[in-house]
């Protein structure tokens, strides 16, 4: 493992982060270790993230499964709809996904984690728009 960490640090740390999905303490430790190694950990994004942590060049994209209250069915619905084209707004996202699995609680968690930052300027605006 030391050889992998030394020679393929981004892929190694992405795999380590993926292995502890669900364990917030370990995830935080590995994110800190990644940053100490000079590897940028990118925020989650509904238009970029996959289920697990993913290497993106010399950075790691945060996985959607690591966000609390976001289940696998919700992620599958997001990824299926995103395959055609990226989401351009929260309204577009809500119109295209299955709202039985991507419910208000999931959307709030995505917004609070920063996964919808590419859809609007402020998270407070997105949360306020959820009821509509």
């Amino acid at each position: 493992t030391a050889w992998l960490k030394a020679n393929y640090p981004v892929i190694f740390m992405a795999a380590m982060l993926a292995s502890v999905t669900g364990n917030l303490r370990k995830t935080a430790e590995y994110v800190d270790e990644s940053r100490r190694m000079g590897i940028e950990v990118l925020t989650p994004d509904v238009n970029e993230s996959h289920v697990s942590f993913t290497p993106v060049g010399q950075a790691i994209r945060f996985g959607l499964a690591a966000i609390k209250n976001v289940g696998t069915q919700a992620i599958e619905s997001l990824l299926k709809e995103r395959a055609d084209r990226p989401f351009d707004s929260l309204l577009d996202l809500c119109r295209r996904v299955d709202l039985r699995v991507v419910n208000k609680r999931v959307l709030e968690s995505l917004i609070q984690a920063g996964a919808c930052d590419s859809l609007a300027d402020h998270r407070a605006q997105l949360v306020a728009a959820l009821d509509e």
Side-chain angles (χ1 to χ4, degrees), residues 5-6 10-11 27 38 41 44 50 54-55 58 87 96-97 102 123 129:
K5 187 175 182 179
V10 175
I11 296 169
T27 299
V41 179
H50 295 280
T54 311
Q58 294 302 310
F87 302 110
R96 291 169 46 196
V97 299
V102 183
R123 294 178 190 174

Side-chain angles (χ1 to χ4, degrees), residues 13-33:
M13 290 309 296
M16 293 300 293
L17 283 160
S19 74
V20 296
T21 297
N23 184 335
L24 297 177
R25 186 180 60 77
K26 281 290 200 183
T27 299
E29 286 177 22
Y30 288 147
V31 167
D32 288 342
E33 176 66 17

Side-chain angles (χ1 to χ4, degrees), residues 43-50 54 56 61-62 79 82 118:
T43 59
D45 189 323
V46 292
N47 285 322
E48 299 288 330
S49 293
H50 295 280
T54 311
V56 179
R61 175 68 67 181
F62 208 88
L79 296 179
R82 185 182 79 191
S118 62

Side-chain angles (χ1 to χ4, degrees), residues 78-128:
L78 283 167
L79 296 179
K80 179 182 169 213
E81 289 302 322
R82 185 182 79 191
D84 296 332
R85 62 183 166 84
F87 302 110
D88 54 16
S89 67
L90 182 63
L91 182 61
D92 179 44
L93 185 146
C94 290
R95 285 184 176 153
R96 291 169 46 196
V97 299
D98 182 356
L99 292 177
R100 292 173 292 177
V101 293
V102 183
N103 56 33
K104 184 177 180 180
R105 184 176 180 188
V106 170
L107 289 168
E108 285 174 345
S109 295
L110 288 169
I111 292 167
Q112 291 169 350
C116 297
D117 286 357
S118 62
L119 304 179
D121 292 336
H122 302 286
R123 294 178 190 174
Q125 290 174 324
L126 292 171
V127 171

